[in-house]
């Protein structure tokens, strides 16, 4: 891999370490990430609910809350229109809970991924009109639903759009459009997920209805648990306001009274009283929520989080667990099919972007598979399922490539498309797939170089083994939650001696003993068995590594952390 080591000012590092009373290693990481100022670093280290921005800084928030308040006062039926992923269902639940609490009459609509596809549709509007709905509030969707909003107006239904996806030049003709990514919106945090925007609407509504600050803050703090899960699942940067949401929300998951959330944590293996990490959310909790929308109906998720019946909650959570197993099996089948396509036609440096398609590939899991393709080939990729002459699929991207802009350069190929920089979805005629593959490849080739296809390790700082102490590692781990935008700190140590032959476990993983200036360090290198020869006993290496919590080690009386090797090269 290509190593990029951040440059920091030694005087800034020393000043920050002294001012905050933190180790030099932690100060190096903070400075490398643009947090050299003491106040900015302090907010990052100890975020509080009070650090959340004023929701009324969002454009259109006042007309949005005024319309909602009128609907509540007049007992007007409200339809909350969401999406079928973690973010969309969580956003629905946040608004439903708050509206129920303040006397609103609200029902939820979650589109079915297969039957309805992504986004708002006219049939749902017509059904709402037949039920006497006077106000539709979209959550995590709607920013490109101009025609559907116009259709609703024809039935006398007002629409409030709350979304975070990138808008087109013309906004929907709604009563209000609350989206931090509106071109005329000056809201400081542009990277809220859909549930984050729903949280801001809920907070603003409570303020409009006269709730005093402390009472409002307590309710917002309780809602952060679900919004934190959505924020991690939607892969938005875990910095700024998102860090406040996730740090506070994950800590709040130590104390869960909601029957559905407790049942979900149980099947995901999160013990009562424990605060899950962002990694646990991403790989244990969120996939079970997403499984409903991918393999069945996401309406089950809304019921899970709104039911007061603990037995019913356990039943739904168990069903989600089973659906998640089905999802994994289906994903494996598609991945194997892609491997076979690559064997038939290998990926080369000429393929700046990739499109894989297959008959009958389940559209509920193609987005996950696209993520795996990007991890493997480190270039933008779409994975499409073909069904009755139509291709539905999802794409994922690398950091330097804007996926939605690529799609906007060839809109005539699609019947529907949308998304943002790192992820997008498309629907098109199957006959257009070949043209899309070629035009997408050419578009990417004009903007990417071979160097962009190299996996890169961004290293925060070099470190000596002598600096690695329990206290320093504890401070480093306190920089969590780690994820997109805030990865676990990465360090490099040079001229390290391999102090013993590598120990290979399960033909996959390598366990190491490394030594530098007399200090020994145990380390693990996951899936490094094919590189074991690089750890010759007595040899000197440069090593890139991170630290992780290790409760199992702590339970056995050892240090509560472990060293994880990410890359190695000769010294």
């Amino acid at each position: 891999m290509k190593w990029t080591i951040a440059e920091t000012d030694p005087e800034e590092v020393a000043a920050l370490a002294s001012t905050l009373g933190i180790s030099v290693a932690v100060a190096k990481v903070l400075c490398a990430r643009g947090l050299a100022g003491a106040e900015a670093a302090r907010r990052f280290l100890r975020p509080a609910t009070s650090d959340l921005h004023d929701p009324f800084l969002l454009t259109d928030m006042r007309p949005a809350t005024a319309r909602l308040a009128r609907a509540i006062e007049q007992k007007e039926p409200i339809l909350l229109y969401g999406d079928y992923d973690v973010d969309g269902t969580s956003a629905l639940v946040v608004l439903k809970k708050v509206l129920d609490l303040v006397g609103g009459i609200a029902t939820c609509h979650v589109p079915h991924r297969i039957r309805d596809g992504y986004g708002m549709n006219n049939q749902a509007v017509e059904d709402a009109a037949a039920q006497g709905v006077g106000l539709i509030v979209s959550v995590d969707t709607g920013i490109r639903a101009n025609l559907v909003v116009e259709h609703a107006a024809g039935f006398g239904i007002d629409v409030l759009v709350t979304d975070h996806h990138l808008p087109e030049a013309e906004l929907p003709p709604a009563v209000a459009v609350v989206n931090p990514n509106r071109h005329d919106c000056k809201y400081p945090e542009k990277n809220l997920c859909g549930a984050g925007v729903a949280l801001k609407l809920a907070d603003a509504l409570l303020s409009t209805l006269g709730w005093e600050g402390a009472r409002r803050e307590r309710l917002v703090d309780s809602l952060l648990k679900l919004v934190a899960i959505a924020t991690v699942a939607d892969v938005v940067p875990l910095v700024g306001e998102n860090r406040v949401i996730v740090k506070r929300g994950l800590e709040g998951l130590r104390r869960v009274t909601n029957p559905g959330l407790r049942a979900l944590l149980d099947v995901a293996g999160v013990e009562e009283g424990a605060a899950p990490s962002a990694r646990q959310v991403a790989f244990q909790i969120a996939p079970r929520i997403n499984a409903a929308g991918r393999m069945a109906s996401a309406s089950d998720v809304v019921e899970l989080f709104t039911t007061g019946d603990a037995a019913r909650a356990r039943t739904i959570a168990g069903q989600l667990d089973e659906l998640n197993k089905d999802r994994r099996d289906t994903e494996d089948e598609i991945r194997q099919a892609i491997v076979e396509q690559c064997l038939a036609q290998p990926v080369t440096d000429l393929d700046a972007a990739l499109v894989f398609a297959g008959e009958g590939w389940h559209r509920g899991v193609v987005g996950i598979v696209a993520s795996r393709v990007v991890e493997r080939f480190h270039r933008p990729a779409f994975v499409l399922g073909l069904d009755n002459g139509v291709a539905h699929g999802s794409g994922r991207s690398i950091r330097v490539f804007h996926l939605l802009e690529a799609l906007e350069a060839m809109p005539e190929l699609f019947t529907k498309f949308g998304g943002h920089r790192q992820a997008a979805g498309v629907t098109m005629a199957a006959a257009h797939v070949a043209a899309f593959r070629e035009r997408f490849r050419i578009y990417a080739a004009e903007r990417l170089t071979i160097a962009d296809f190299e996996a890169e390790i961004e290293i925060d700082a070099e470190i000596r083994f002598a600096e690695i102490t329990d206290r320093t590692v504890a401070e480093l781990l306190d920089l969590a939650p780690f994820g997109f935008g805030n990865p676990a700190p990465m360090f490099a140590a040079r001229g390290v001696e391999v102090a013993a032959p590598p120990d290979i476990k399960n033909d996959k993983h390598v366990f190491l003993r490394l030594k530098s200036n007399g200090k020994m360090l145990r380390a693990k290198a996951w899936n490094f068995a094919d590189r074991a020869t690089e750890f010759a006993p007595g040899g000197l290496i440069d090593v890139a590594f991170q630290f992780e919590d290790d409760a199992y080690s702590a339970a056995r009386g050892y240090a509560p952390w472990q060293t994880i090797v990410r890359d190695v090269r000769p010294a």
Side-chain angles (χ1 to χ4, degrees):
M1 293 186 182
K2 180 171 62 177
W3 292 18
T4 303
I5 302 178
E7 296 183 3
T8 54
D9 184 332
E11 292 185 1
E12 281 188 341
V13 169
L16 188 62
S18 175
T19 301
L20 297 185
I22 56 178
S23 67
V24 170
V26 176
K28 283 182 179 179
V29 172
L30 292 171
C31 288
R33 299 184 180 190
L35 297 166
E39 186 54 36
R42 191 177 287 112
R43 284 198 303 272
F44 183 87
L45 293 171
R46 297 289 176 265
T49 306
S50 57
D51 291 329
L52 296 173
H53 301 306
D54 180 354
F56 289 103
L57 294 175
L58 282 156
T59 299
D60 270 8
M61 185 60 84
R62 293 194 183 279
T65 55
R67 182 63 183 88
L68 267 175
R70 177 157 63 90
I72 294 166
E73 181 184 0
Q74 296 178 358
K75 299 298 181 184
E76 185 178 8
I78 303 167
L79 179 68
L80 304 178
Y81 198 124
D83 190 21
Y84 40 66
D85 65 359
V86 178
D87 192 18
T89 51
S90 299
L92 274 178
V93 173
V94 166
L95 282 183
K96 179 73 165 67
K97 284 182 174 294
V98 171
L99 287 171
D100 287 350
L101 189 63
V102 299
I105 302 172
T107 56
C108 297
H109 174 78
V110 187
H112 191 282
R113 184 188 290 263
I114 306 301
R115 291 195 303 267
D116 303 323
Y118 175 76
M120 301 178 72
N121 64 66
N122 287 338
Q123 185 58 56
V125 168
E126 293 166 16
D127 293 343
Q131 295 162 12
V133 168
L135 176 64
I136 295 176
V137 182
S138 78
V139 290
D140 191 36
T141 188
I143 195 60
R144 295 186 171 217
N146 299 43
L147 295 178
V148 178
V149 173
E150 289 177 4
H151 192 62
F155 289 92
I157 299 175
D158 288 339
V159 179
L160 305 181
V161 172
T162 76
D163 202 349
H164 71 118
H165 296 97
L166 297 177
E168 294 179 308
E170 184 178 349
L171 295 174
V175 171
V177 178
V178 180
N179 184 333
N181 286 303
R182 282 182 57 160
H183 302 302
D184 60 346
C185 184
K186 300 298 191 293
Y187 192 74
E189 180 56 76
K190 297 296 184 183
N191 293 308
L192 289 174
C193 68
V197 177
L199 178 74
K200 307 310 292 190
L201 177 61
D203 188 18
L205 175 63
L206 295 173
S207 177
T208 298
L209 295 176
W211 282 43
E212 50 89 16
R215 184 187 181 198
R216 198 171 75 244
E217 187 171 306
R218 285 194 298 272
L219 179 58
V220 168
D221 216 33
S222 71
L223 296 173
L224 289 180
K225 301 181 185 70
L226 200 54
V227 180
I229 292 173
T231 301
V232 172
D234 220 51
V235 199
V236 293
L238 301 186
V239 294
E241 191 167 33
N242 285 335
R243 176 173 173 79
V244 180
I245 290 170
V246 177
K247 184 88 168 178
R248 298 283 301 176
L250 297 187
E251 184 61 30
L253 288 171
R254 293 184 188 276
R255 304 167 299 280
V256 173
T257 58
N258 180 281
L261 187 51
R262 182 65 261 163
L264 177 66
L265 294 177
D266 289 342
V267 299
V270 179
E271 295 182 0
E272 197 159 352
S277 66
R279 181 178 178 80
Q280 285 177 294
V281 171
F283 292 99
Q284 294 170 226
I285 299 171
R288 288 171 168 83
I289 301 174
N290 261 333
R294 295 186 188 282
M295 310 302 292
S297 171
S299 297
D300 292 340
V301 176
V302 176
E303 183 184 356
L304 175 69
F305 291 135
T306 54
T307 183
D309 184 337
R312 176 60 182 157
R314 288 193 296 272
T315 297
I316 298 173
Q319 292 169 347
L320 296 184
D321 195 42
E322 289 301 315
L323 287 171
N324 191 49
K325 294 174 184 175
D326 294 343
R327 184 271 307 168
R328 285 198 298 262
D329 292 342
T330 303
E331 179 187 337
D332 287 343
E333 292 172 5
I334 297 175
R335 290 168 69 177
Q336 184 56 41
I338 289 176
V339 169
E340 293 170 2
Q341 290 186 17
C342 289
L343 289 173
Q345 186 172 349
V347 174
T348 72
D349 287 342
L350 297 177
D351 299 306
L354 303 172
V355 175
F356 294 100
E359 195 70 40
W361 287 1
H362 197 299
R363 73 178 77 165
V365 302
V366 289
I368 304 173
V369 179
S371 296
R372 303 293 181 263
V373 171
V374 173
E375 289 171 7
R376 170 65 182 82
F377 294 107
H378 205 72
R379 64 200 72 193
F382 271 86
V383 177
L384 311 173
L386 308 179
D387 184 26
N388 293 323
V390 180
H392 301 270
S394 294
R396 300 293 184 268
S397 192
I398 57 177
R399 180 172 52 87
V400 297
F401 186 83
H402 200 302
L403 207 57
L404 184 59
E405 287 182 356
L407 301 182
E408 288 174 334
M410 53 193 89
E412 68 278 4
L413 293 178
F414 314 114
T415 54
K416 183 185 291 187
F417 71 94
H420 45 81
R421 185 183 187 92
Q422 296 296 307
V426 296
T427 301
M428 73 185 88
H432 288 169
V433 171
F436 174 48
R437 180 182 288 114
E438 182 63 10
R439 288 180 61 179
F440 187 43
R441 183 190 67 79
I442 292 172
Y443 180 94
E446 292 171 348
R447 290 158 178 82
L448 299 174
T449 67
I450 292 177
D452 293 318
F453 306 153
E454 296 179 27
E456 179 182 4
I457 284 188
E458 296 184 349
I459 295 170
D460 292 285
E462 294 189 33
I463 194 170
R464 295 174 291 107
F465 277 17
E467 298 177 74
I468 301 172
T469 66
D470 285 350
R471 178 199 162 192
T472 295
V473 175
E475 288 181 357
L476 287 167
L477 294 176
D478 200 38
L479 300 180
F482 301 127
F484 181 59
N486 185 45
M490 184 77 71
F491 293 97
R494 299 187 185 276
V496 173
E497 179 186 350
V498 181
D503 184 12
I504 301 176
K505 302 287 188 182
N506 302 321
D507 295 323
K508 293 174 63 178
H509 313 305
V510 179
F511 286 53
L512 301 163
R513 297 185 70 184
L514 305 175
K515 186 177 181 181
S516 179
N517 292 324
K519 181 166 182 174
M520 193 78 70
L521 197 66
R522 295 179 181 272
K524 301 175 183 179
W526 304 121
N527 298 304
F528 260 68
D530 59 346
R531 299 181 63 183
T533 55
E534 298 178 49
F535 302 106
L540 297 181
I541 58 174
D542 294 343
V543 59
F545 58 95
Q546 296 170 303
F547 300 106
E548 287 185 359
D549 279 311
D550 190 347
Y552 180 67
S553 176
R556 293 182 298 155
Y558 298 108
W561 51 272
Q562 59 181 323
T563 305
I564 307 298
V565 171
R566 299 303 184 193
D567 196 25
V568 63
R569 60 191 188 188

